[in-house]
Structures are given as structure tokens and as C-alpha cells.
Amino acid sequence: MNYARFLTAVSAARKPSAIRMLTELQQRSPPSMISLAGGAPNPNTFPFQACSIQVKNGDTLTFDETMMKRALQYSASSGIPELLTWMKNLQKNLHNPPTANYSAEMGQMDMCVTTGSQEGLCKVFEMLVNPGDNVLLDAPTYSGTLAALQPLGCNLINVPSDQHGMIPSGLKEVLSSWDPADVHKPHSTVPRVLYTIPNGGNPTGASMTTQRKREVYELAREYDLLIIEDDPYYFLQFDKPWAPTFLSMDVDGRIIRTDSFSKILSSGLRIGFVTGPKPLVDRVVLHIQASTMHTSTFTQLMVSQLLHGWGQEGFLNHIDGVIEFYRTQRDAMLSSADKWLKDVAEWHAPAAGMFLWIKLKGIADTQQLIMEKALEKEVLLVPGGVFMINSSDPCPYVRAAFSLSTPQQIDEAFKRLSALIKEAL
Ligand code: PMP
Ligand code: PLP
């Protein structure tokens, strides 16, 4: 892989911060090292002293004074070493990426910690997308992705999709506008980036089949595309075995994967991970150096202590509990949908995630119905338009989340929605 051809001028121009390198060097040095370098403030002046955090299983995470000082201090931009090590082991066990043992130049798998996967995505887009570039994605898609991509001035090209995600023959058709022989010509307009949400898509709930992933990966090889695999609902797949990921198929080093702890440990702590070829992860880390510097050290130590205490088995046991909760919620939403919406709407049962994507029959656009009439009836849903490349195009869908409301509330909400639809017809 020639990674240089994927970088924007902005990303290619990023240089390591000398002070950040010294800070990281200092943290790896023996205590006998006297450092007058770095701009770290003295944590003895900080007001926080120590803390302990109760875990639901009865364990306690303890930050004594020494640990607390570390938690309150600057740390490495790629993430604290013990959290990164734990996560790299998890990635290897879950995905067994072919790139794990490659050399750095060949695109060896590397990782960095990000402040939620949104930060990682935003920085990955900034690294790869120039004004005027053609970028492939399967809309409807996550509005946060559109918010990060659209201001970059790229041309978003929609790839057809259905309840099993992106359709390979549709991608092939879209790509047939270009000749693979032109890929490496200067000023080529061939897309270089493809983005997709492979499991429990936001907003569609769609999950890609293994076969589709293989075919999409083959097309990515033919056209030398990078694939951004945005997979925050990976751990919310209701049925085992979990689907093989793009990362697990990545013989070339062309997958950049974003993982998130938002749906399984905490959304407010802001922890996510970028996994991908080292030359690209390094660029994301340079961007972190110049923006947030690093994800909160306190947050990382807290999460790392929890994970080291649990081990992978404890982590996966916790996930099983989370899945059980969401499966029950999904089933409750599906049965309420059957009860109230059968005649007025249609949907597919999601195999992962937190969303039901509902098509209202006979309603060309849900914007007004949801933002005005539904508000009056005290039921909140997201009108589908916000997930479209062109948000003003009419859209007959709404997104309903089964994450936060009780089955009774979900039932009442669908009863109200059903009445609204019937009034509007
Ligand atoms: N601006 C100046 C002038 C600084 O010296 C520093 C920290 N050395 C920063 C901004 C970044 O501070 P923060 O840790 O709040 O991101
Ligand atoms: N990607 C998708 C598809 C999402 O649905 C979300 C959250 O809603 C994110 C990324 C952002 O997640 P995080 O909280 O890790 O930034």
C-alpha cells in the first residue's frame, strides 16, 4: 500500500510536537532521570487527592495519591500504554487481523485511544478527504458522520443498501463509472475512501453479511480504496457468533476501524479506539497532539483498571449482560410495533444496535409529522431526513431508539404514533 496517496495536504503537513515527544519520553524514563523538559504542571498543586469508584459487581477501583497524580497529569497522545496493550490483545483475539504481524511500512495493525469514536472518525476524515474528492457511503447513515464529512467539501456518493447493509453489486455499479487503471494517475477522480457501519447501522439497524463484506473488500482491492469500518454496535450484536469484521479480512492494510465504549461502558467518559495500518494511525495521533493532546488520563486509567481487573472473560461477560438488555428491549419494541403500526408502517427486525428504522406508509416526508405534530402528542422520534446525504429530500422514515424507554413507554409511544399517522392520512 502506498499510504501517501491517501493523505490530505493538511494531514501530510503534520509534524510531531517535540514537547509531546519529550513528555512521553519522560514518562518512560526511570525515576533517576531529572527532567527539566516538558511543560507539565506540578500535580501537588491540584486540589484532587485520591478516589475510589464502586463497580456494580462489588469491586472497587482505587486511585491512591500516586495514581491520582498520574490520572491528573498529561499522558501520551496515543493513549496510556496499559490500556492500549489490553485493547490490542482484545482486537487480536476478536478479529485476528492479518496485519497484526506485518512490518510498519506494510501497514502493521496499530491502535490509538480517542475521545469517543466520533473524535477518531472526524480525524480520519480530515486525514483522508480533500475538497472535491468523491467519497463512498451507504446513506441513510449516521448524522455525525455527515456532520464531519460534509464541511470538508467532498462529493458524497451514495451506494445502494438494504436491511443487510451495503449491496456489493450496487457498489460495483457505482464504481463502474471509473477505470481501475486510472486509480494511480495524477488528478484521478476515482474514490479513495469508502465509509460504512457494518452492524446495527445508525439509523437503519442493518447488519452486513459476511459474504457482502468479502465482496466489498474485493472491490476495494480492485480500486485501491480504504474502508472506514465504523462499528460502535459491534458489541451489541444479539446473536453469536458475531460477524467477521472487515478488519479480520484485511490482508492489504486498507481497513481503518473505529470502536467505541459508548454503548457498553459509558458514553459520557468518551472512550473510543482507532485501529488501522500504523502509517495512518500515526497521522491521527499527530492530529490528537495538536488538538485534545490525549483522551483524559483519569478516564483512561479508570477504564484500564476495570478491564485489567475483569480480564477479557470478565469484559465479555459484561457484554453478554448488555446484549441481553438490548435484545429484550428490541423484542418489546417489535411487539409494540406489531400491535400498533402493522397497517400504517413497515420495518425490519434489527440484529444489532439500538434502533428500529420505520417506514411510514402513505407519508412522503416525516419531518413535519415528527417535529410538529408528534411533539404536541409528546412522543419524540428522529425524522429520517437527517440521515440522508441531502437532508431536504423527502423521507418517509423515522428512527426509534429502544435503548432508554421502558417497554410500557415504547408501547404508549407507538400507540400515539399510530394515531398521528392515521390522522395525517
Ligand atoms: N495554550 C498554551 C499557551 C499552553 O501553554 C498550553 C499548555 N502547555 C495549552 C494552550 C494547552 O493546554 P491544555 O492542557 O488546556 O490543552
Ligand atoms: N458512529 C456511529 C455509527 C454512531 O451511531 C455513533 C454514536 O451515536 C458514533 C459513531 C459516535 O460514538 P462515540 O460516542 O464513541 O463518539
Side-chain angles (χ1 to χ4, degrees):
M1 298 281 293
N2 167 15
Y3 292 108
R5 75 171 277 266
F6 294 100
L7 300 182
T8 60
V10 172
S11 186
R14 293 193 183 281
K15 291 202 178 76
S17 144
I19 291 196
R20 288 263 76 206
M21 289 200 301
L22 281 169
T23 305
E24 290 165 25
L25 186 64
Q26 180 190 337
Q27 284 169 358
R28 276 183 273 121
S29 306
S32 52
M33 169 81 78
I34 303 172
S35 172
L36 304 181
N42 193 315
N44 294 326
T45 65
F46 295 158
F48 309 100
Q49 192 169 6
C51 75
S52 67
I53 298 161
Q54 260 67 57
V55 183
K56 281 179 180 164
N57 67 1
D59 291 353
T60 305
L61 308 178
T62 313
F63 286 51
D64 62 11
E65 285 188 36
T66 311
M67 180 68 104
M68 196 63 173
K69 281 180 188 160
R70 193 179 156 212
L72 297 174
Q73 190 55 277
Y74 287 128
S75 57
S77 289
S78 52
I80 62 168
E82 61 266 51
L83 178 59
L84 274 175
T85 306
W86 200 95
M87 281 306 297
K88 282 182 187 170
N89 285 333
L90 181 74
Q91 291 302 62
K92 286 178 194 167
N93 273 352
L94 292 176
H95 312 292
N96 189 21
T99 49
N101 302 314
Y102 287 12
S103 67
E105 303 72 44
M106 275 186 72
Q108 179 184 41
M109 183 198 98
D110 201 4
M111 292 186 81
C112 69
V113 179
T114 54
T115 303
S117 61
Q118 179 77 27
E119 185 200 15
L121 287 170
C122 192
K123 288 184 162 57
V124 166
F125 294 144
E126 197 245 42
M127 168 174 72
L128 302 174
V129 178
N130 291 291
D133 279 1
N134 290 316
V135 173
L136 303 164
L137 52 72
D138 49 334
T141 192
Y142 172 48
S143 46
T145 293
L146 295 173
L149 270 175
Q150 279 172 328
L152 299 178
C154 55
N155 177 29
L156 296 181
I157 300 179
N158 197 14
V159 180
S161 59
D162 61 18
Q163 72 270 30
H164 303 298
M166 186 176 280
I167 302 172
S169 59
L171 175 61
K172 197 175 174 137
E173 171 72 25
V174 169
L175 284 169
S176 68
S177 309
W178 292 277
D179 182 348
D182 292 343
V183 166
H184 295 277
K185 289 191 180 150
H187 312 298
S188 151
T189 62
V190 183
R192 286 172 296 132
V193 173
L194 179 146
Y195 166 89
T196 196
I197 308 166
N199 293 298
N202 181 358
T204 62
S207 294
M208 253 180 124
T209 59
T210 307
Q211 182 55 28
R212 282 196 181 183
K213 280 184 200 157
R214 291 217 172 94
E215 289 175 35
V216 167
Y217 191 85
E218 281 313 307
L219 287 164
R221 300 189 85 179
E222 192 180 338
Y223 285 86
D224 198 18
L225 305 170
L226 295 178
I227 299 177
I228 302 171
E229 177 176 47
D230 177 15
D231 208 356
Y233 307 103
Y234 176 77
F235 295 110
L236 297 191
Q237 294 180 71
F238 305 131
D239 302 308
K240 299 241 176 85
W242 289 337
T245 56
F246 279 112
L247 185 66
S248 74
M249 304 171 183
D250 191 16
V251 287
D252 296 335
R254 60 177 71 255
I255 302 299
I256 304 171
R257 176 179 167 83
T258 52
D259 280 281
S260 175
F261 277 175
S262 287
K263 279 68 187 186
I264 50 176
L265 295 188
S266 158
S267 41
L269 282 179
R270 310 302 300 131
I271 284 257
F273 303 88
V274 172
T275 306
K278 182 167 170 38
L280 296 179
V281 173
D282 283 349
R283 290 282 127 192
V284 171
V285 173
L286 291 183
H287 192 171
I288 294 173
Q289 286 190 358
S291 62
T292 55
M293 292 201 193
H294 57 78
T295 294
S296 156
T297 317
F298 184 94
T299 295
Q300 292 189 64
L301 279 171
M302 176 176 159
V303 167
S304 176
Q305 274 199 25
L306 178 80
L307 295 176
H308 281 276
W310 271 349
Q312 273 186 27
E313 198 187 324
F315 173 74
L316 294 172
N317 283 341
H318 167 73
I319 303 291
D320 283 343
V322 179
I323 291 175
E324 266 322 296
F325 171 80
Y326 283 105
R327 189 209 312 279
T328 308
Q329 291 286 109
R330 176 207 51 184
D331 291 346
M333 183 170 271
L334 287 174
S335 71
S336 291
D338 272 336
K339 183 164 147 200
W340 296 109
L341 303 175
K342 223 174 187 151
D343 304 330
V344 290
E346 48 195 52
W347 57 86
H348 294 284
M354 319 187 311
F355 303 116
L356 189 65
W357 183 234
I358 308 171
K359 183 179 185 183
L360 309 190
K361 290 185 199 162
I363 308 242
D365 186 34
T366 54
Q367 172 72 18
Q368 206 201 1
L369 184 81
I370 297 306
M371 296 317 287
E372 293 173 20
K373 305 220 176 82
L375 274 183
E376 278 167 29
K377 287 235 153 87
E378 296 193 295
V379 50
L380 277 183
L381 293 143
V382 188
V386 307
F387 306 103
M388 300 299 174
I389 292 174
N390 187 349
S391 62
S392 55
D393 282 352
C395 177
Y397 286 86
V398 296
R399 189 193 77 180
F402 47 83
S403 46
L404 217 47
S405 308
T406 63
Q408 294 73 23
Q409 290 171 319
I410 291 172
D411 198 63
E412 177 60 28
F414 279 2
K415 181 181 170 188
R416 293 181 199 174
L417 177 64
S418 159
L420 276 170
I421 302 169
K422 284 177 185 153
E423 273 170 37
L425 289 176

